[in-house]
Amino acid sequence: MGHDATGRQVISHLRIVFLFAAIFLALGYSVAQAQLVPPTGTKSTTEGTKVTLPDPLTPAAVRGLVSTLSDQQVRELLLDQLDAVAQKEQAKKSDNETGFAGQLGTWVSSLGSNFVAAVTRIPRIWDGLKTSTSNFVERHGSLGIFKLIGLIIGAISAGLIAEYIVNYLTRKRRENAQSTEDTDSLGKTLKVLGSRLFWDFIALFVFFVVTRIIVQTFVSIEFVPVVTLFMVQMIVIPRYAWVISRFMMAPNNSKLRLINATNEVALFFHRTTIGLAVYVGFMSFIIKFHVLYGVQVGEIWLGYWLNAILFITLIILAYKAREGMKQVLIGPNPEEVTPTEMRFVRIYPWFVIGLIVLMWFVVEIIASTGRFDLINGQQYVVLGLLLFAPSFDTGIRGLVRHLVAPMQGEGLVAQAAYHSTKRSYIRIGRIIMFALLIIIIANLWDIDFENMASMGVGARFAGDFLQFLMILAIGYLVWEVVTLLLNRKLAAEQTADGFDLSADEPGGGEGGGQGGSRLSTVIPMVRFALQVVILTMTVLIALSNIGVDTTPLLAGAGIVGLAIGFGAQALVKDVVAGIFFLVDDAFRVGEYLVIGTTVGTVEKISLRSLQLRHHKGPVHTIPFGEMRQVTNNSRDWVITKLKFTIPFDTDINKIKKMFKVIGAEMLEAPYADDILQTFKSQGVYDVDDVGIIIRGKFMTKPGTQWIIRKDVYSRVQKAFEANGIEFARKEVRVNMPGLDNQTELTEEQKKTISAAASEAAETPTPVKST
């Protein structure tokens, strides 16, 4: 069994390697075939030869190049390089003089000029199409178009036949690997989807290889560029999009769907993805077809209108899919979505539409500057990444939901800690995704963070902004990681102690419950201090990166701190006193304190004060500097002493035996684990004019004494009743001579008795300390 499992793992790994090899080979071939633009770095000379600059451009390479050139070539090359440097310096000077606002105005003006130029050149599009078609016919003959169609149909047919044969031979493996009977977990679902994706790519790879062999073998050399161009742009790329979209959307099987969407929404997204891939492939094919057959597309502005159609279509599709995008963002568990996230969900469709418009604006700006190397497909990759962000977010939440360990412990504290941990992991995943998107976008747009100083205002602003976002992302990531670690430790401490401030009526409704550990008291303050440090450092580094001089800020902060030190001495006193209270471990969160005339449970500790929650509800905030004496009723153990007044003729020894029986019964009660010393008699405590005062006591854990005290009172009352013993009550005896043989009282005698009783009732009974 062990060898079989190992063999299956090896085969699985080989499948993955083969899959990625197929993907990269196909994409590499696509990119190689699509590069129809002449390479940069090549200079033409008046002698009709080309001088290619060495890469890398080292002093030794320069000397070697110069030694092979003629004097005329060296002069031409030098002039070209000097002209390039002069133009760069002039552009830099112009950008610095106009500033970003002026540059933005220039961009907007160029957009208007581009639109006017594109409208005036609409008739040229038809002329360009006729020119490219005439050149095609001239080069390949009047039957060339039919030959081209026949070759394409033949290549596609051969590829489809080969793909069908592979699918037929592997049908049993595909069916076994893609069974959806057991997909109740993310791991099993990904296993099925991964297997299906693997076999889809295998079939597509076979189709790709066979069609390429057919093209290279049977297609004449003059037809190879255009056939290859059509196959890559119109067939291979859309089919890649189909495979990837099928993996993500699973339009025909909701059990395998990675995103949260209905069948209707998933099918709409799937068809939209394929349609956009076909249109983008058509754009690339038609433009490169014109270039291949001698038409300057820049002269007829064909790309402008194709691009406009694409972005307008994207805007319409985004508007139609706004409810579907909300479904994807909310996910399968709406109850876990925070109010902030729900607000973002509502505005996200409009954010997407704005993003599409912004990308359109950026593409046209770049095109107006002549930097077509920056819009050679990068804009579509960036837009696709940003539009697929909700799917990535759904994937992050799914991974967190399945990978986070189950809740440890019970109670509200453990539950809150579990949900907080999941939210932290989700935020960490999002910030990592955000950082990766920034890095990918920077690489696609050829932004070099190290050489931004030599760029113009626009490029420098874009680079600074991306680096600013990157710094914020890293700072927030550190914030989340530190907060997560400290929160997990805090939750572990509170759960281990069984501490829960939100429990109903702690301490039996009277307060005095046992507090948390010392670490659970200090962690919130350490967390706050570290968060302040992280926030401050991140803001200072980010501001410094965008050119803000942080030295005056630091100096100003020092001056403000000095002013606070002199003007807020009470605040400093509170902070210092609080530090020493915490060092002395005078109190912890959850402990029951008496501070002067104020009592309550410690609910929160800040830098300068603590909050006490009275057992009746009010919250008292006491600055540390005003605390002269702190009485802690929640440490180690609590002794409770109870007094009972009995008549003078009661047998004291009988009472002691009754108390002993009650103490033994208490050790059988559900709260027995909280008893450190059971209830017992302390004998006669005092004698007054009412009766004999006896006292009993018991020792318990802090916070449990109130519930146990109530039970002791109840047990003593029942024991007295069972043994015919009554509690002593205060009596008033009025001695009036001459009443021995008198059966009725006169009005004067009644008034005398009433006055004596009132006087006795108003006389307070002296209270003695226990």
Side-chain angles (χ1 to χ4, degrees):
M1 293 295 292
H3 293 292
D4 293 340
T6 304
R8 286 194 297 269
Q9 291 179 357
V10 172
I11 294 174
S12 177
H13 293 165
L14 288 176
R15 287 178 177 175
I16 295 174
V17 172
F18 184 68
L19 169 62
F20 282 100
I23 295 173
F24 285 117
L25 282 174
L27 292 179
Y29 176 74
S30 302
V31 172
Q33 295 296 330
Q35 299 302 318
L36 301 178
V37 181
T40 58
T42 302
K43 305 298 180 181
S44 299
T45 67
T46 57
E47 298 180 6
T49 60
K50 294 182 178 179
V51 178
T52 303
L53 296 178
D55 185 18
L57 195 63
T58 62
V62 170
R63 287 193 293 270
L65 175 65
V66 172
S67 64
T68 62
L69 301 178
S70 65
D71 293 342
Q72 180 64 22
Q73 288 177 318
V74 172
R75 283 193 295 269
E76 292 289 343
L77 181 60
L78 180 59
L79 287 175
D80 288 341
Q81 297 302 314
L82 291 176
D83 287 342
V85 173
Q87 290 175 2
K88 183 182 295 186
E89 291 296 327
Q90 182 64 29
K92 179 180 177 182
K93 181 179 179 181
S94 176
D95 286 343
N96 291 332
E97 290 175 354
T98 58
F100 180 71
Q103 186 66 44
L104 183 61
T106 303
W107 289 341
V108 173
S109 177
S110 66
L111 286 180
S113 302
N114 289 347
F115 178 74
V116 173
V119 171
T120 58
R121 287 171 172 80
I122 289 179
R124 297 188 183 183
I125 297 178
W126 178 249
D127 296 336
L129 181 59
K130 290 193 297 183
T131 302
S132 61
T133 305
S134 299
N135 293 339
F136 177 85
V137 172
E138 182 180 350
R139 186 179 303 181
H140 303 294
S142 58
L143 299 178
I145 186 65
F146 300 103
K147 293 180 181 179
L148 176 63
I149 296 174
L151 292 172
I152 292 175
I153 293 176
I156 294 175
S157 301
L160 291 176
I161 292 173
E163 183 178 348
Y164 175 80
I165 293 173
V166 171
N167 290 336
Y168 180 80
L169 294 176
T170 60
R171 64 187 184 283
K172 292 185 178 180
R173 291 189 178 184
R174 294 169 65 98
E175 292 173 357
N176 294 334
Q178 298 176 24
S179 175
T180 59
E181 294 179 357
D182 187 17
T183 55
D184 55 343
S185 66
L186 178 65
K188 295 176 181 178
T189 301
L190 288 176
K191 181 180 179 181
V192 174
L193 285 174
S195 176
R196 189 171 73 176
L197 182 67
F198 171 80
W199 290 111
D200 285 344
F201 270 119
I202 289 295
L204 184 56
F205 180 73
V206 170
F207 173 85
F208 176 80
V209 171
V210 171
T211 53
R212 183 178 181 185
I213 292 174
I214 295 296
V215 170
Q216 297 293 336
T217 305
F218 298 101
V219 178
S220 57
I221 190 65
E222 68 270 12
F223 278 113
V224 168
V226 67
V227 172
T228 302
L229 180 63
F230 182 88
M231 293 296 297
V232 171
Q233 303 296 336
M234 298 295 295
I235 304 298
V236 176
I237 291 180
R239 291 202 62 189
Y240 270 115
W242 178 85
V243 170
I244 296 174
S245 177
R246 184 167 178 252
F247 174 81
M248 294 292 298
M249 309 298 176
N252 299 321
N253 193 337
S254 59
K255 293 182 179 180
L256 299 177
R257 194 167 299 145
L258 294 179
I259 63 173
N260 180 61
T262 62
N263 292 336
E264 182 181 0
V265 171
L267 186 60
F268 175 80
F269 285 158
H270 182 61
R271 291 175 176 175
T272 300
T273 302
I274 299 172
L276 290 175
V278 171
Y279 181 75
V280 171
F282 170 76
M283 284 178 58
S284 179
F285 170 76
I286 198 68
I287 290 175
K288 292 176 181 177
F289 179 84
H290 279 70
V291 174
L292 194 61
Y293 289 96
V295 176
Q296 297 295 328
V297 292
E299 295 295 328
I300 63 175
W301 289 70
L302 176 62
Y304 181 91
W305 292 110
L306 291 174
N307 210 48
I309 293 173
L310 173 63
F311 280 102
I312 292 173
T313 303
L314 286 173
I315 293 172
I316 295 173
L317 291 174
Y319 180 79
K320 289 185 176 180
R322 57 191 187 279
E323 294 300 326
M325 287 188 282
K326 292 179 182 179
Q327 286 183 17
V328 175
L329 282 172
I330 292 175
N333 299 310
E335 66 278 0
E336 296 183 0
V337 181
T338 63
T340 301
E341 291 175 338
M342 187 58 70
R343 287 192 292 270
F344 177 75
V345 167
R346 295 191 191 101
I347 66 173
Y348 182 76
W350 307 106
F351 168 77
V352 168
I353 294 175
L355 185 65
I356 295 171
V357 174
L358 178 62
M359 183 61 67
W360 190 3
F361 178 85
V362 171
V363 168
E364 295 303 327
I365 289 296
I366 295 175
S368 65
T369 61
R371 290 296 306 273
F372 293 101
D373 58 307
L374 295 179
I375 52 174
N376 192 22
Q378 297 96 322
Q379 69 273 25
Y380 305 126
V381 177
V382 172
L383 195 59
L385 289 174
L386 296 177
L387 294 180
F388 268 98
S391 300
F392 302 151
D393 184 75
T394 301
I396 291 172
R397 284 181 290 176
L399 288 174
V400 169
R401 188 167 56 253
H402 290 84
L403 296 180
V404 171
M407 185 175 66
Q408 298 179 357
E410 299 179 353
L412 294 178
V413 172
Q415 185 177 2
Y418 175 70
H419 290 299
S420 176
T421 300
K422 288 175 61 177
R423 299 300 308 171
S424 295
Y425 277 123
I426 290 173
R427 288 193 293 268
I428 290 173
R430 286 172 176 170
I431 203 63
I432 292 175
M433 180 186 71
F434 179 73
L436 290 176
L437 286 176
I438 292 178
I439 294 174
I440 294 172
I441 292 172
N443 290 331
L444 288 172
W445 293 109
D446 198 22
I447 296 176
D448 187 355
F449 293 122
E450 297 180 357
N451 298 323
M452 286 187 299
S454 61
M455 298 180 182
V457 172
R460 197 162 60 243
F461 172 79
D464 287 345
F465 182 70
L466 286 178
Q467 195 166 8
F468 176 78
L469 294 179
M470 195 68 183
I471 293 172
L472 292 183
I474 294 174
Y476 183 72
L477 179 62
V478 175
W479 169 295
E480 284 293 345
V481 170
V482 170
T483 303
L484 173 64
L485 295 177
L486 293 177
N487 282 344
R488 291 182 63 182
K489 184 63 178 177
L490 177 61
E493 289 289 325
Q494 293 178 341
T495 305
D497 295 336
F499 174 64
D500 190 355
L501 277 176
S502 59
D504 294 335
E505 297 187 354
E510 301 290 340
Q514 188 173 8
S517 65
R518 187 176 187 181
L519 194 58
S520 65
T521 300
V522 176
I523 284 178
M525 303 187 67
V526 174
R527 179 183 59 196
F528 176 75
L530 290 178
Q531 287 175 341
V532 170
V533 171
I534 294 171
L535 177 62
T536 304
M537 295 296 294
T538 302
V539 171
L540 290 177
I541 294 173
L543 291 177
S544 176
N545 177 75
I546 62 176
V548 178
D549 188 4
T550 57
T551 303
L553 295 178
L554 296 175
I559 295 174
V560 172
L562 188 62
I564 292 176
F566 282 109
Q569 296 183 18
L571 177 62
V572 176
K573 177 184 176 182
D574 293 337
V575 173
V576 174
I579 293 174
F580 282 104
F581 274 123
L582 293 177
V583 170
D584 293 339
D585 195 21
F587 43 77
R588 302 172 186 173
V589 174
E591 292 186 329
Y592 191 75
L593 307 183
V594 178
I595 304 175
T597 59
T598 306
V599 297
T601 302
V602 179
E603 191 171 79
K604 182 180 178 181
I605 299 176
S606 65
L607 289 176
R608 61 169 296 273
S609 65
L610 62 79
Q611 291 182 353
L612 295 182
R613 170 78 68 175
H614 193 271
H615 58 270
K616 293 183 179 180
V619 176
H620 305 282
T621 301
I622 306 175
F624 291 125
E626 298 180 6
M627 295 165 52
R628 296 292 179 266
Q629 180 181 354
V630 178
T631 302
N632 194 329
N633 292 314
S634 299
R635 289 292 173 90
D636 304 328
W637 46 265
V638 175
I639 293 179
T640 303
K641 297 181 179 181
L642 307 177
K643 293 186 294 183
F644 305 93
T645 303
I646 58 177
F648 291 104
D649 56 354
T650 305
D651 186 355
I652 303 299
N653 291 327
K654 186 177 181 180
I655 297 293
K656 290 182 177 180
K657 293 178 181 179
M658 292 169 54
F659 282 8
K660 186 175 182 181
V661 172
I662 291 173
E665 292 176 349
M666 290 171 58
L667 296 177
E668 304 284 334
Y671 51 74
D673 293 338
D674 297 323
I675 298 177
L676 302 180
Q677 292 182 5
T678 191
F679 182 67
K680 63 182 179 180
S681 172
Q682 286 189 293
V684 176
Y685 171 73
D686 197 4
V687 178
D688 57 16
D689 55 354
V690 178
I692 301 173
I693 301 175
I694 60 174
R695 189 169 70 174
K697 72 171 186 177
F698 59 89
M699 181 187 296
T700 63
K701 297 178 182 179
T704 61
Q705 69 269 28
W706 312 114
I707 297 176
I708 297 176
R709 185 185 67 173
K710 294 177 182 179
D711 188 57
V712 170
Y713 276 139
S714 177
R715 291 176 184 271
V716 170
Q717 183 181 15
K718 292 178 180 179
F720 278 16
E721 184 178 356
N723 288 274
I725 301 175
E726 295 183 354
F727 290 99
R729 293 181 294 275
K730 192 173 184 178
E731 297 179 352
V732 178
R733 297 185 181 183
V734 181
N735 186 16
M736 298 184 67
L739 294 179
D740 296 338
N741 298 321
Q742 189 173 348
T743 59
E744 295 183 1
L745 299 177
T746 64
E747 290 298 327
E748 184 178 355
Q749 290 173 337
K750 291 180 180 180
K751 291 181 180 180
T752 302
I753 294 173
S754 177
S758 299
E759 182 181 359
E762 294 176 356
T763 302
T765 302
V767 179
K768 297 184 180 181
S769 173
T770 58

